[in-house]
Amino acid sequence: MIFSTIKSAVDFYGHIPRYREIFHILFKYGFADVLRLVALQKFLKIEDAQLPVRKSEILNKPLPERFRLTLEELGPTFVKFGQILSSRRDLITDEYFEQLQRLQDEVPPFPSKEARKIIEKEMNRPIDEVFSTFQDEPIGCASIAQVHKAILKDGTTVAIKVQRPDIEKVIELDMAILIDLARFIEKHAPEASALNPVGVVEEFSHTLMKELDFNNEAQNVERFAKQFEGNEDIKIPTIYRDISSARVLVMEFISGTRIDDVALLRKKKIDPIDLANRVTTLIYMQIFDYGFFHGDPHPGNMTVLPGPKIGLYDFGMMGDLSPEFRESIAIMIAGLAEKDHQRTARAIVEMSDEGIAEDQQQMLTD
């Protein structure tokens, strides 16, 4: 017990420089009261003179915009959190949705010189030996990686997903800090304990660390492509395994129209309603037919090809559902459609972590 306590203290003090950085950024954008930061400021020995000047032009911006700018400056871990939050329209207002959507494809790039070095190190050979052309300007930037367009020696156009430099160390540190903060919330805000903040952060951490291994993503793409083999409504890029690695993923280049650009879709004679029906069908197939689904299907990870056909990118975050869980989802949906509250409640209980309720009859009649 004593060794665990000592280790925890050592880990915490090792996080203090990053804590200070986080505090300064939160203060800069007007979030100084988050998590009792005044007390935290004293603990970290940050003097008022050390704090950045809070420029009025920043503080005059709307709160949702400041929230998005804060996540951007805090770095990849927090940007990823914002991206996931942007897909939860049930949790955020339209103003926050509009701002967080920008995190999906407006993340600042890192220098192409760094990208070239990473690619050559991972492939163990010069870029010119593998590609006839390499586009230095990235065509897409995300929280964990950025994508460059290139042409193989045989003329095939490919997209190269390159992991950000030292991203694993950054995320490991941020996740350790988020765990610290989750424990702080559980201890000092009992009303939030029902939300299981530590469990949520641990699950987020597990998912994010898996996403850092591009070999895992390559396996996901191949499995996903196999289950939709022959389906004309979806396009999954081919992976070039022989020139891919844990930090560099080379795949077939596919490009089309953004799925949320309704005006352009109509201009290209693509009916948004028909497209929505196709997407819904594909989602149902992922969940109910296969139980293996894309876990991050925001507009930045989707494109519309002629047909129309749905093209998907970024298979780092995937989900697996057991047959039993799929059955419970189906029962819940049927219960909701038929307004059968008891049936719906039973399905929800079956999908819970415990799978039981102390008094189901009372719950079903409440």
Side-chain angles (χ1 to χ4, degrees), residues 5 13 61 65 76 102 104 124 131 139-140 147 192 230 260 267 275 298 317 339 343 352 358:
T5 303
Y13 280 98
K61 294 179 183 294
E65 184 178 358
R102 297 176 62 180
Q104 295 170 0
N124 199 28
F131 308 104
I139 59 173
V147 179
D260 57 351
K267 188 176 180 181
L275 184 63
H298 61 70
M317 189 179 294
K339 297 184 179 180
R343 195 178 184 191
S352 68
E358 290 184 6

Side-chain angles (χ1 to χ4, degrees), residues 330-341 343-344:
I331 292 171
M332 181 188 71
I333 293 173
L336 289 170
E338 298 168 7
K339 297 184 179 180
D340 186 335
H341 305 306
R343 195 178 184 191
T344 303

